[in-house]
Amino acid sequence: YSFFEGRPTWPEYHRDLTYAFLPDNELSNTTKEVFTRAFERWAAVTTLTFTETDSYYEADLKVAFYTGDHGDGEPFDGVLGTLAHAFSPTSGRFHLDGAETWVAEGDVTKSSTSSAIDLESVAVHEIGHLLGLGHSSVEEAIMYPTISAKTRKVELASDDIQGIQELYGANSNYTTPPSSSSPNSHQENTSNGGDH
Amino acid sequence: RIHPNISPTPPWQVPNDTAKGAWDSFKNFTGCRPGQKSDGLSKLKDYFKNFGYIPDSQHNFTDDFDDELESAIKTYQKNFNLNVTGELDDKTIENLMKSRCGNADIVNGTSTMNSGKPASSNSSLNFHAVRH
């Protein structure tokens, strides 16, 4: 794991964070639930909490789908290529490329579209950035920078957990998994049918 | 473009599936080595600049496989645990073509990734060779 330059974090007095979706995107509840699950994965291992709010402009974390140049100097490039980006604490901006074929539900590995991208996988990664993690060289880690189409990878790896707990401490309910677990267990290539 | 449950999506609702990925053209550079020139190589330099492997101060890239590109490739290969050859071998090209997060891997010349460390060295399971 790694951190952004200067190791920015959400301040100690501000660890209960709110998130909201750009109203113009008119996301369905199914899509919003994907992000909720992604936030919960990080909340489960840290002292942070995440609550959805309707007030986009007052939310700590702002989720928005854009295409092409959207004004932050990091234009999106159409299908595949760059999928999303997120800013370090305490910016809270989380942008996804609206040109991608995002899959919010169902088994992405069986998608009939060769460019299908699993939304939750990307959401878990970008939330890591919002919280202060940089990229990791550990291929099993969520914070590894690349993800292939039709792939699902949503489980935090020990590398991700060690990194985020170094920044915020551990959730009191979190227990370290047994060391015998295979690194491959972090890669999930099956349906996201509510087993998490 | 958000598909709830993509499997049963009717073909007419699936976007143009023949669309090329943004970096598919990099495949043409497979086997390209230092000292060579290849049409469009400047786009690969743009890629490396975008993700921090070439300094922001560099502009107007040529299609020459120069020292700067070789250095960028070597750092990239370290970050992604590839063989550090400085050449655009199959594995490196394959990795470059993958979709990815837009955040840079290197900020202000400092790699935010654990350059070149094999995955096992980051694991808490790596306890052998303890010296007393």
Side-chain angles (χ1 to χ4, degrees), chain A residues 2 5 81 83-86 99-102 104-105 113-114 135 137 145 147, chain B residues 1 3 5 14 17 23 79-81 99-103 105 108 112 114 122 125:
Chain A
S2 69
E5 195 179 18
L83 304 173
H85 54 231
E100 307 299 345
T101 307
W102 294 108
E105 193 177 44
T113 310
S114 61
H135 285 152
S137 286
I147 185 164
Chain B
R1 297 293 293 275
H3 296 263
N5 203 351
V14 176
D17 200 28
W23 301 315
N79 277 348
F80 286 86
N81 304 312
S99 50
R100 58 163 291 158
C101 170
N103 286 36
D105 301 332
N108 294 334
T112 63
N114 299 326
N122 291 302
L125 308 177

PDB file of all heavy atoms in Angstrom, chain A residues 2 5 81 83-86 99-102 104-105 113-114 135 137 145 147, chain B residues 1 3 5 14 17 23 79-81 99-103 105 108 112 114 122 125:
ATOM      1  N   SER A   2       0.253   2.332  -0.351  1.00  0.00           N
ATOM      2  CA  SER A   2       0.980   3.602  -0.330  1.00  0.00           C
ATOM      3  C   SER A   2      -0.019   4.716  -0.024  1.00  0.00           C
ATOM      4  O   SER A   2      -1.231   4.487  -0.032  1.00  0.00           O
ATOM      5  CB  SER A   2       1.663   3.854  -1.671  1.00  0.00           C
ATOM      6  OG  SER A   2       0.689   4.100  -2.660  1.00  0.00           O
ATOM      7  N   GLU A   5       1.120  11.957  -1.410  1.00  0.00           N
ATOM      8  CA  GLU A   5       2.215  12.793  -0.916  1.00  0.00           C
ATOM      9  C   GLU A   5       1.717  13.627   0.273  1.00  0.00           C
ATOM     10  O   GLU A   5       0.663  14.266   0.194  1.00  0.00           O
ATOM     11  CB  GLU A   5       2.679  13.722  -2.044  1.00  0.00           C
ATOM     12  CG  GLU A   5       4.006  14.364  -1.781  1.00  0.00           C
ATOM     13  CD  GLU A   5       4.437  15.253  -2.944  1.00  0.00           C
ATOM     14  OE1 GLU A   5       3.572  15.613  -3.763  1.00  0.00           O
ATOM     15  OE2 GLU A   5       5.612  15.585  -3.006  1.00  0.00           O
ATOM     16  N   GLY A  81      -9.795   2.322 -21.316  1.00  0.00           N
ATOM     17  CA  GLY A  81      -8.794   3.330 -20.952  1.00  0.00           C
ATOM     18  C   GLY A  81      -8.978   3.709 -19.493  1.00  0.00           C
ATOM     19  O   GLY A  81      -9.058   2.849 -18.618  1.00  0.00           O
ATOM     20  N   LEU A  83     -10.991   4.625 -16.347  1.00  0.00           N
ATOM     21  CA  LEU A  83     -12.366   4.305 -15.939  1.00  0.00           C
ATOM     22  C   LEU A  83     -12.931   5.321 -14.952  1.00  0.00           C
ATOM     23  O   LEU A  83     -14.131   5.612 -14.970  1.00  0.00           O
ATOM     24  CB  LEU A  83     -12.391   2.925 -15.275  1.00  0.00           C
ATOM     25  CG  LEU A  83     -11.834   1.762 -16.094  1.00  0.00           C
ATOM     26  CD1 LEU A  83     -11.771   0.508 -15.237  1.00  0.00           C
ATOM     27  CD2 LEU A  83     -12.675   1.531 -17.332  1.00  0.00           C
ATOM     28  N   ALA A  84     -12.081   5.820 -14.086  1.00  0.00           N
ATOM     29  CA  ALA A  84     -12.540   6.707 -13.012  1.00  0.00           C
ATOM     30  C   ALA A  84     -11.330   7.348 -12.358  1.00  0.00           C
ATOM     31  O   ALA A  84     -10.198   6.910 -12.584  1.00  0.00           O
ATOM     32  CB  ALA A  84     -13.314   5.901 -11.972  1.00  0.00           C
ATOM     33  N   HIS A  85     -11.558   8.369 -11.572  1.00  0.00           N
ATOM     34  CA  HIS A  85     -10.499   8.903 -10.732  1.00  0.00           C
ATOM     35  C   HIS A  85     -11.120   9.534  -9.486  1.00  0.00           C
ATOM     36  O   HIS A  85     -12.311   9.856  -9.475  1.00  0.00           O
ATOM     37  CB  HIS A  85      -9.598   9.909 -11.483  1.00  0.00           C
ATOM     38  CG  HIS A  85     -10.332  11.037 -12.130  1.00  0.00           C
ATOM     39  ND1 HIS A  85     -10.158  11.391 -13.449  1.00  0.00           N
ATOM     40  CD2 HIS A  85     -11.242  11.910 -11.656  1.00  0.00           C
ATOM     41  CE1 HIS A  85     -10.916  12.420 -13.743  1.00  0.00           C
ATOM     42  NE2 HIS A  85     -11.590  12.760 -12.671  1.00  0.00           N
ATOM     43  N   ALA A  86     -10.314   9.639  -8.460  1.00  0.00           N
ATOM     44  CA  ALA A  86     -10.807  10.230  -7.218  1.00  0.00           C
ATOM     45  C   ALA A  86      -9.688  11.021  -6.569  1.00  0.00           C
ATOM     46  O   ALA A  86      -8.513  10.729  -6.774  1.00  0.00           O
ATOM     47  CB  ALA A  86     -11.302   9.143  -6.273  1.00  0.00           C
ATOM     48  N   ALA A  99     -18.881   7.004 -20.150  1.00  0.00           N
ATOM     49  CA  ALA A  99     -18.871   6.307 -21.436  1.00  0.00           C
ATOM     50  C   ALA A  99     -18.668   4.803 -21.282  1.00  0.00           C
ATOM     51  O   ALA A  99     -18.827   4.053 -22.240  1.00  0.00           O
ATOM     52  CB  ALA A  99     -17.770   6.874 -22.322  1.00  0.00           C
ATOM     53  N   GLU A 100     -18.291   4.367 -20.068  1.00  0.00           N
ATOM     54  CA  GLU A 100     -18.041   2.934 -19.889  1.00  0.00           C
ATOM     55  C   GLU A 100     -19.343   2.142 -19.859  1.00  0.00           C
ATOM     56  O   GLU A 100     -20.407   2.679 -19.568  1.00  0.00           O
ATOM     57  CB  GLU A 100     -17.286   2.678 -18.568  1.00  0.00           C
ATOM     58  CG  GLU A 100     -16.018   3.465 -18.381  1.00  0.00           C
ATOM     59  CD  GLU A 100     -14.967   3.189 -19.442  1.00  0.00           C
ATOM     60  OE1 GLU A 100     -15.091   2.192 -20.171  1.00  0.00           O
ATOM     61  OE2 GLU A 100     -14.034   4.001 -19.558  1.00  0.00           O
ATOM     62  N   THR A 101     -19.224   0.864 -20.114  1.00  0.00           N
ATOM     63  CA  THR A 101     -20.365  -0.035 -19.965  1.00  0.00           C
ATOM     64  C   THR A 101     -20.323  -0.576 -18.547  1.00  0.00           C
ATOM     65  O   THR A 101     -19.695  -1.591 -18.268  1.00  0.00           O
ATOM     66  CB  THR A 101     -20.268  -1.195 -20.979  1.00  0.00           C
ATOM     67  OG1 THR A 101     -20.097  -0.645 -22.275  1.00  0.00           O
ATOM     68  CG2 THR A 101     -21.528  -2.045 -20.947  1.00  0.00           C
ATOM     69  N   TRP A 102     -20.930   0.148 -17.650  1.00  0.00           N
ATOM     70  CA  TRP A 102     -20.891  -0.211 -16.234  1.00  0.00           C
ATOM     71  C   TRP A 102     -21.914  -1.301 -15.936  1.00  0.00           C
ATOM     72  O   TRP A 102     -23.049  -1.231 -16.394  1.00  0.00           O
ATOM     73  CB  TRP A 102     -21.208   1.012 -15.366  1.00  0.00           C
ATOM     74  CG  TRP A 102     -20.182   2.099 -15.450  1.00  0.00           C
ATOM     75  CD1 TRP A 102     -20.317   3.307 -16.073  1.00  0.00           C
ATOM     76  CD2 TRP A 102     -18.871   2.095 -14.883  1.00  0.00           C
ATOM     77  NE1 TRP A 102     -19.176   4.053 -15.927  1.00  0.00           N
ATOM     78  CE2 TRP A 102     -18.267   3.335 -15.201  1.00  0.00           C
ATOM     79  CE3 TRP A 102     -18.143   1.167 -14.136  1.00  0.00           C
ATOM     80  CZ2 TRP A 102     -16.976   3.661 -14.806  1.00  0.00           C
ATOM     81  CZ3 TRP A 102     -16.859   1.492 -13.739  1.00  0.00           C
ATOM     82  CH2 TRP A 102     -16.283   2.728 -14.077  1.00  0.00           C
ATOM     83  N   ALA A 104     -23.913  -2.874 -12.895  1.00  0.00           N
ATOM     84  CA  ALA A 104     -24.244  -2.604 -11.500  1.00  0.00           C
ATOM     85  C   ALA A 104     -24.709  -3.849 -10.771  1.00  0.00           C
ATOM     86  O   ALA A 104     -24.651  -3.913  -9.546  1.00  0.00           O
ATOM     87  CB  ALA A 104     -25.324  -1.526 -11.424  1.00  0.00           C
ATOM     88  N   GLU A 105     -25.178  -4.824 -11.490  1.00  0.00           N
ATOM     89  CA  GLU A 105     -25.730  -6.011 -10.856  1.00  0.00           C
ATOM     90  C   GLU A 105     -25.610  -7.195 -11.812  1.00  0.00           C
ATOM     91  O   GLU A 105     -25.677  -7.017 -13.019  1.00  0.00           O
ATOM     92  CB  GLU A 105     -27.202  -5.766 -10.522  1.00  0.00           C
ATOM     93  CG  GLU A 105     -27.799  -6.776  -9.593  1.00  0.00           C
ATOM     94  CD  GLU A 105     -29.233  -6.433  -9.246  1.00  0.00           C
ATOM     95  OE1 GLU A 105     -29.984  -6.059 -10.167  1.00  0.00           O
ATOM     96  OE2 GLU A 105     -29.598  -6.539  -8.072  1.00  0.00           O
ATOM     97  N   THR A 113     -21.024  -8.284 -23.227  1.00  0.00           N
ATOM     98  CA  THR A 113     -20.292  -7.119 -23.719  1.00  0.00           C
ATOM     99  C   THR A 113     -18.820  -7.224 -23.327  1.00  0.00           C
ATOM    100  O   THR A 113     -18.509  -7.327 -22.141  1.00  0.00           O
ATOM    101  CB  THR A 113     -20.879  -5.824 -23.103  1.00  0.00           C
ATOM    102  OG1 THR A 113     -22.281  -5.851 -23.295  1.00  0.00           O
ATOM    103  CG2 THR A 113     -20.301  -4.598 -23.741  1.00  0.00           C
ATOM    104  N   SER A 114     -17.931  -7.186 -24.294  1.00  0.00           N
ATOM    105  CA  SER A 114     -16.510  -7.390 -23.989  1.00  0.00           C
ATOM    106  C   SER A 114     -15.915  -6.246 -23.181  1.00  0.00           C
ATOM    107  O   SER A 114     -14.879  -6.396 -22.554  1.00  0.00           O
ATOM    108  CB  SER A 114     -15.719  -7.574 -25.282  1.00  0.00           C
ATOM    109  OG  SER A 114     -15.828  -6.420 -26.077  1.00  0.00           O
ATOM    110  N   HIS A 135      -1.783   4.015  -5.006  1.00  0.00           N
ATOM    111  CA  HIS A 135      -1.797   2.726  -5.697  1.00  0.00           C
ATOM    112  C   HIS A 135      -0.841   1.739  -5.038  1.00  0.00           C
ATOM    113  O   HIS A 135       0.122   2.129  -4.385  1.00  0.00           O
ATOM    114  CB  HIS A 135      -1.432   2.929  -7.169  1.00  0.00           C
ATOM    115  CG  HIS A 135      -2.549   3.520  -7.952  1.00  0.00           C
ATOM    116  ND1 HIS A 135      -2.370   4.296  -9.077  1.00  0.00           N
ATOM    117  CD2 HIS A 135      -3.898   3.444  -7.773  1.00  0.00           C
ATOM    118  CE1 HIS A 135      -3.543   4.657  -9.548  1.00  0.00           C
ATOM    119  NE2 HIS A 135      -4.485   4.163  -8.771  1.00  0.00           N
ATOM    120  N   SER A 137       1.398  -2.006  -5.576  1.00  0.00           N
ATOM    121  CA  SER A 137       1.970  -2.954  -6.545  1.00  0.00           C
ATOM    122  C   SER A 137       1.502  -4.378  -6.309  1.00  0.00           C
ATOM    123  O   SER A 137       1.838  -5.271  -7.074  1.00  0.00           O
ATOM    124  CB  SER A 137       3.506  -2.932  -6.460  1.00  0.00           C
ATOM    125  OG  SER A 137       4.004  -1.765  -7.047  1.00  0.00           O
ATOM    126  N   PRO A 145      -3.659  -0.618  -9.720  1.00  0.00           N
ATOM    127  CA  PRO A 145      -4.292   0.389 -10.602  1.00  0.00           C
ATOM    128  C   PRO A 145      -5.130  -0.137 -11.763  1.00  0.00           C
ATOM    129  O   PRO A 145      -5.976   0.580 -12.264  1.00  0.00           O
ATOM    130  CB  PRO A 145      -3.098   1.168 -11.171  1.00  0.00           C
ATOM    131  CG  PRO A 145      -1.939   0.837 -10.306  1.00  0.00           C
ATOM    132  CD  PRO A 145      -2.194  -0.530  -9.764  1.00  0.00           C
ATOM    133  N   ILE A 147      -7.670  -2.894 -13.934  1.00  0.00           N
ATOM    134  CA  ILE A 147      -8.680  -3.950 -13.829  1.00  0.00           C
ATOM    135  C   ILE A 147      -9.171  -4.264 -15.242  1.00  0.00           C
ATOM    136  O   ILE A 147      -9.450  -3.342 -16.026  1.00  0.00           O
ATOM    137  CB  ILE A 147      -9.842  -3.571 -12.885  1.00  0.00           C
ATOM    138  CG1 ILE A 147     -10.782  -4.771 -12.730  1.00  0.00           C
ATOM    139  CG2 ILE A 147     -10.595  -2.341 -13.392  1.00  0.00           C
ATOM    140  CD1 ILE A 147     -11.731  -4.655 -11.554  1.00  0.00           C
TER     141      ILE A 147
ATOM    142  N   ARG B   1     -25.374   4.418 -19.546  1.00  0.00           N
ATOM    143  CA  ARG B   1     -24.474   3.300 -19.787  1.00  0.00           C
ATOM    144  C   ARG B   1     -24.326   2.432 -18.540  1.00  0.00           C
ATOM    145  O   ARG B   1     -23.360   1.722 -18.411  1.00  0.00           O
ATOM    146  CB  ARG B   1     -23.102   3.804 -20.234  1.00  0.00           C
ATOM    147  CG  ARG B   1     -23.105   4.554 -21.531  1.00  0.00           C
ATOM    148  CD  ARG B   1     -23.453   3.663 -22.690  1.00  0.00           C
ATOM    149  NE  ARG B   1     -22.410   2.651 -22.938  1.00  0.00           N
ATOM    150  CZ  ARG B   1     -21.319   2.855 -23.665  1.00  0.00           C
ATOM    151  NH1 ARG B   1     -21.113   4.005 -24.255  1.00  0.00           N
ATOM    152  NH2 ARG B   1     -20.436   1.897 -23.861  1.00  0.00           N
ATOM    153  N   HIS B   3     -25.716  -0.691 -16.628  1.00  0.00           N
ATOM    154  CA  HIS B   3     -26.580  -1.824 -16.912  1.00  0.00           C
ATOM    155  C   HIS B   3     -26.868  -2.601 -15.648  1.00  0.00           C
ATOM    156  O   HIS B   3     -25.982  -3.246 -15.098  1.00  0.00           O
ATOM    157  CB  HIS B   3     -25.922  -2.751 -17.934  1.00  0.00           C
ATOM    158  CG  HIS B   3     -25.740  -2.088 -19.254  1.00  0.00           C
ATOM    159  ND1 HIS B   3     -26.616  -2.241 -20.292  1.00  0.00           N
ATOM    160  CD2 HIS B   3     -24.798  -1.226 -19.689  1.00  0.00           C
ATOM    161  CE1 HIS B   3     -26.210  -1.520 -21.316  1.00  0.00           C
ATOM    162  NE2 HIS B   3     -25.103  -0.893 -20.966  1.00  0.00           N
ATOM    163  N   ASN B   5     -27.814  -5.698 -14.131  1.00  0.00           N
ATOM    164  CA  ASN B   5     -27.876  -7.085 -14.564  1.00  0.00           C
ATOM    165  C   ASN B   5     -27.659  -7.225 -16.063  1.00  0.00           C
ATOM    166  O   ASN B   5     -28.600  -7.365 -16.833  1.00  0.00           O
ATOM    167  CB  ASN B   5     -29.226  -7.693 -14.176  1.00  0.00           C
ATOM    168  CG  ASN B   5     -29.108  -9.201 -14.093  1.00  0.00           C
ATOM    169  OD1 ASN B   5     -28.088  -9.762 -14.474  1.00  0.00           O
ATOM    170  ND2 ASN B   5     -30.141  -9.835 -13.596  1.00  0.00           N
ATOM    171  N   VAL B  14     -27.133  -3.043 -25.960  1.00  0.00           N
ATOM    172  CA  VAL B  14     -25.702  -3.112 -25.664  1.00  0.00           C
ATOM    173  C   VAL B  14     -24.978  -2.140 -26.586  1.00  0.00           C
ATOM    174  O   VAL B  14     -25.191  -2.166 -27.795  1.00  0.00           O
ATOM    175  CB  VAL B  14     -25.166  -4.543 -25.888  1.00  0.00           C
ATOM    176  CG1 VAL B  14     -23.668  -4.586 -25.677  1.00  0.00           C
ATOM    177  CG2 VAL B  14     -25.867  -5.510 -24.945  1.00  0.00           C
ATOM    178  N   ASP B  17     -20.135  -2.886 -29.356  1.00  0.00           N
ATOM    179  CA  ASP B  17     -19.173  -3.749 -28.688  1.00  0.00           C
ATOM    180  C   ASP B  17     -17.877  -3.879 -29.470  1.00  0.00           C
ATOM    181  O   ASP B  17     -16.937  -4.501 -29.019  1.00  0.00           O
ATOM    182  CB  ASP B  17     -19.808  -5.123 -28.453  1.00  0.00           C
ATOM    183  CG  ASP B  17     -19.070  -5.884 -27.366  1.00  0.00           C
ATOM    184  OD1 ASP B  17     -18.498  -5.226 -26.485  1.00  0.00           O
ATOM    185  OD2 ASP B  17     -19.029  -7.112 -27.430  1.00  0.00           O
ATOM    186  N   TRP B  23      -6.497   2.441 -25.437  1.00  0.00           N
ATOM    187  CA  TRP B  23      -5.058   2.201 -25.601  1.00  0.00           C
ATOM    188  C   TRP B  23      -4.769   0.972 -26.456  1.00  0.00           C
ATOM    189  O   TRP B  23      -3.656   0.421 -26.405  1.00  0.00           O
ATOM    190  CB  TRP B  23      -4.403   2.072 -24.217  1.00  0.00           C
ATOM    191  CG  TRP B  23      -4.602   3.299 -23.397  1.00  0.00           C
ATOM    192  CD1 TRP B  23      -4.448   4.583 -23.808  1.00  0.00           C
ATOM    193  CD2 TRP B  23      -5.006   3.376 -22.026  1.00  0.00           C
ATOM    194  NE1 TRP B  23      -4.742   5.462 -22.782  1.00  0.00           N
ATOM    195  CE2 TRP B  23      -5.085   4.747 -21.682  1.00  0.00           C
ATOM    196  CE3 TRP B  23      -5.309   2.426 -21.055  1.00  0.00           C
ATOM    197  CZ2 TRP B  23      -5.450   5.180 -20.415  1.00  0.00           C
ATOM    198  CZ3 TRP B  23      -5.666   2.857 -19.789  1.00  0.00           C
ATOM    199  CH2 TRP B  23      -5.735   4.207 -19.478  1.00  0.00           C
ATOM    200  N   ASN B  79       6.907  -1.149 -11.021  1.00  0.00           N
ATOM    201  CA  ASN B  79       5.661  -0.931 -10.291  1.00  0.00           C
ATOM    202  C   ASN B  79       4.653  -2.050 -10.488  1.00  0.00           C
ATOM    203  O   ASN B  79       3.857  -2.338  -9.595  1.00  0.00           O
ATOM    204  CB  ASN B  79       5.021   0.392 -10.724  1.00  0.00           C
ATOM    205  CG  ASN B  79       5.612   1.576  -9.992  1.00  0.00           C
ATOM    206  OD1 ASN B  79       6.332   1.411  -9.005  1.00  0.00           O
ATOM    207  ND2 ASN B  79       5.315   2.775 -10.459  1.00  0.00           N
ATOM    208  N   PHE B  80       4.678  -2.643 -11.669  1.00  0.00           N
ATOM    209  CA  PHE B  80       3.690  -3.686 -11.977  1.00  0.00           C
ATOM    210  C   PHE B  80       4.293  -5.095 -11.914  1.00  0.00           C
ATOM    211  O   PHE B  80       3.705  -6.036 -12.434  1.00  0.00           O
ATOM    212  CB  PHE B  80       3.046  -3.415 -13.339  1.00  0.00           C
ATOM    213  CG  PHE B  80       2.066  -2.272 -13.285  1.00  0.00           C
ATOM    214  CD1 PHE B  80       2.498  -0.970 -13.437  1.00  0.00           C
ATOM    215  CD2 PHE B  80       0.715  -2.499 -13.041  1.00  0.00           C
ATOM    216  CE1 PHE B  80       1.600   0.094 -13.360  1.00  0.00           C
ATOM    217  CE2 PHE B  80      -0.182  -1.447 -12.966  1.00  0.00           C
ATOM    218  CZ  PHE B  80       0.257  -0.138 -13.123  1.00  0.00           C
ATOM    219  N   ASN B  81       5.436  -5.194 -11.263  1.00  0.00           N
ATOM    220  CA  ASN B  81       6.074  -6.504 -11.056  1.00  0.00           C
ATOM    221  C   ASN B  81       6.314  -7.258 -12.361  1.00  0.00           C
ATOM    222  O   ASN B  81       6.164  -8.479 -12.425  1.00  0.00           O
ATOM    223  CB  ASN B  81       5.230  -7.363 -10.099  1.00  0.00           C
ATOM    224  CG  ASN B  81       4.988  -6.672  -8.782  1.00  0.00           C
ATOM    225  OD1 ASN B  81       5.921  -6.148  -8.170  1.00  0.00           O
ATOM    226  ND2 ASN B  81       3.742  -6.614  -8.349  1.00  0.00           N
ATOM    227  N   SER B  99      -7.547  -1.447 -18.927  1.00  0.00           N
ATOM    228  CA  SER B  99      -8.235  -0.286 -18.372  1.00  0.00           C
ATOM    229  C   SER B  99      -7.746  -0.078 -16.941  1.00  0.00           C
ATOM    230  O   SER B  99      -7.326  -1.024 -16.277  1.00  0.00           O
ATOM    231  CB  SER B  99      -9.743  -0.501 -18.413  1.00  0.00           C
ATOM    232  OG  SER B  99     -10.067  -1.749 -17.864  1.00  0.00           O
ATOM    233  N   ARG B 100      -7.812   1.165 -16.488  1.00  0.00           N
ATOM    234  CA  ARG B 100      -7.219   1.453 -15.188  1.00  0.00           C
ATOM    235  C   ARG B 100      -7.794   2.714 -14.548  1.00  0.00           C
ATOM    236  O   ARG B 100      -8.532   3.471 -15.175  1.00  0.00           O
ATOM    237  CB  ARG B 100      -5.705   1.604 -15.317  1.00  0.00           C
ATOM    238  CG  ARG B 100      -5.234   2.673 -16.287  1.00  0.00           C
ATOM    239  CD  ARG B 100      -3.781   3.037 -16.050  1.00  0.00           C
ATOM    240  NE  ARG B 100      -3.646   3.738 -14.775  1.00  0.00           N
ATOM    241  CZ  ARG B 100      -2.518   3.830 -14.082  1.00  0.00           C
ATOM    242  NH1 ARG B 100      -1.421   3.255 -14.532  1.00  0.00           N
ATOM    243  NH2 ARG B 100      -2.484   4.490 -12.933  1.00  0.00           N
ATOM    244  N   CYS B 101      -7.393   2.915 -13.319  1.00  0.00           N
ATOM    245  CA  CYS B 101      -7.745   4.134 -12.592  1.00  0.00           C
ATOM    246  C   CYS B 101      -6.968   5.298 -13.183  1.00  0.00           C
ATOM    247  O   CYS B 101      -5.809   5.149 -13.573  1.00  0.00           O
ATOM    248  CB  CYS B 101      -7.383   3.950 -11.121  1.00  0.00           C
ATOM    249  SG  CYS B 101      -7.474   5.447 -10.134  1.00  0.00           S
ATOM    250  N   GLY B 102      -7.592   6.458 -13.231  1.00  0.00           N
ATOM    251  CA  GLY B 102      -6.957   7.634 -13.814  1.00  0.00           C
ATOM    252  C   GLY B 102      -5.968   8.322 -12.900  1.00  0.00           C
ATOM    253  O   GLY B 102      -5.228   9.207 -13.347  1.00  0.00           O
ATOM    254  N   ASN B 103      -5.933   7.939 -11.632  1.00  0.00           N
ATOM    255  CA  ASN B 103      -4.966   8.576 -10.731  1.00  0.00           C
ATOM    256  C   ASN B 103      -3.549   8.150 -11.115  1.00  0.00           C
ATOM    257  O   ASN B 103      -3.320   7.013 -11.511  1.00  0.00           O
ATOM    258  CB  ASN B 103      -5.235   8.157  -9.282  1.00  0.00           C
ATOM    259  CG  ASN B 103      -6.464   8.840  -8.714  1.00  0.00           C
ATOM    260  OD1 ASN B 103      -7.430   9.053  -9.429  1.00  0.00           O
ATOM    261  ND2 ASN B 103      -6.429   9.159  -7.440  1.00  0.00           N
ATOM    262  N   ASP B 105       0.356   7.024 -10.909  1.00  0.00           N
ATOM    263  CA  ASP B 105       1.119   6.108 -10.062  1.00  0.00           C
ATOM    264  C   ASP B 105       2.287   6.839  -9.398  1.00  0.00           C
ATOM    265  O   ASP B 105       2.789   6.414  -8.367  1.00  0.00           O
ATOM    266  CB  ASP B 105       1.689   4.953 -10.907  1.00  0.00           C
ATOM    267  CG  ASP B 105       0.596   4.166 -11.598  1.00  0.00           C
ATOM    268  OD1 ASP B 105      -0.529   4.113 -11.072  1.00  0.00           O
ATOM    269  OD2 ASP B 105       0.865   3.610 -12.684  1.00  0.00           O
ATOM    270  N   ASN B 108       4.890  13.964  -8.520  1.00  0.00           N
ATOM    271  CA  ASN B 108       6.089  14.779  -8.288  1.00  0.00           C
ATOM    272  C   ASN B 108       7.364  13.936  -8.221  1.00  0.00           C
ATOM    273  O   ASN B 108       8.215  14.133  -7.363  1.00  0.00           O
ATOM    274  CB  ASN B 108       5.950  15.597  -6.991  1.00  0.00           C
ATOM    275  CG  ASN B 108       4.862  16.633  -7.118  1.00  0.00           C
ATOM    276  OD1 ASN B 108       4.543  17.079  -8.230  1.00  0.00           O
ATOM    277  ND2 ASN B 108       4.266  17.021  -5.994  1.00  0.00           N
ATOM    278  N   THR B 112       4.105   6.420  -5.938  1.00  0.00           N
ATOM    279  CA  THR B 112       3.190   6.110  -4.841  1.00  0.00           C
ATOM    280  C   THR B 112       2.994   4.612  -4.729  1.00  0.00           C
ATOM    281  O   THR B 112       2.314   4.132  -3.857  1.00  0.00           O
ATOM    282  CB  THR B 112       1.821   6.778  -5.046  1.00  0.00           C
ATOM    283  OG1 THR B 112       1.229   6.241  -6.227  1.00  0.00           O
ATOM    284  CG2 THR B 112       1.948   8.272  -5.164  1.00  0.00           C
ATOM    285  N   ASN B 114       4.814   0.663  -4.600  1.00  0.00           N
ATOM    286  CA  ASN B 114       6.025   0.106  -3.987  1.00  0.00           C
ATOM    287  C   ASN B 114       6.924  -0.418  -5.082  1.00  0.00           C
ATOM    288  O   ASN B 114       6.935  -1.603  -5.357  1.00  0.00           O
ATOM    289  CB  ASN B 114       5.644  -1.010  -3.019  1.00  0.00           C
ATOM    290  CG  ASN B 114       4.779  -0.481  -1.911  1.00  0.00           C
ATOM    291  OD1 ASN B 114       4.944   0.656  -1.486  1.00  0.00           O
ATOM    292  ND2 ASN B 114       3.843  -1.287  -1.453  1.00  0.00           N
ATOM    293  N   ASN B 122       5.222  -7.753   0.534  1.00  0.00           N
ATOM    294  CA  ASN B 122       4.246  -6.886   1.185  1.00  0.00           C
ATOM    295  C   ASN B 122       3.299  -7.680   2.085  1.00  0.00           C
ATOM    296  O   ASN B 122       2.415  -7.148   2.692  1.00  0.00           O
ATOM    297  CB  ASN B 122       3.413  -6.165   0.133  1.00  0.00           C
ATOM    298  CG  ASN B 122       4.247  -5.153  -0.603  1.00  0.00           C
ATOM    299  OD1 ASN B 122       4.801  -4.267   0.021  1.00  0.00           O
ATOM    300  ND2 ASN B 122       4.369  -5.308  -1.900  1.00  0.00           N
ATOM    301  N   LEU B 125       2.527 -12.466   5.712  1.00  0.00           N
ATOM    302  CA  LEU B 125       2.852 -13.882   5.858  1.00  0.00           C
ATOM    303  C   LEU B 125       4.347 -14.125   5.670  1.00  0.00           C
ATOM    304  O   LEU B 125       4.835 -15.226   5.858  1.00  0.00           O
ATOM    305  CB  LEU B 125       2.082 -14.701   4.819  1.00  0.00           C
ATOM    306  CG  LEU B 125       0.581 -14.475   4.770  1.00  0.00           C
ATOM    307  CD1 LEU B 125      -0.027 -15.295   3.640  1.00  0.00           C
ATOM    308  CD2 LEU B 125      -0.054 -14.838   6.091  1.00  0.00           C
TER     309      LEU B 125
END
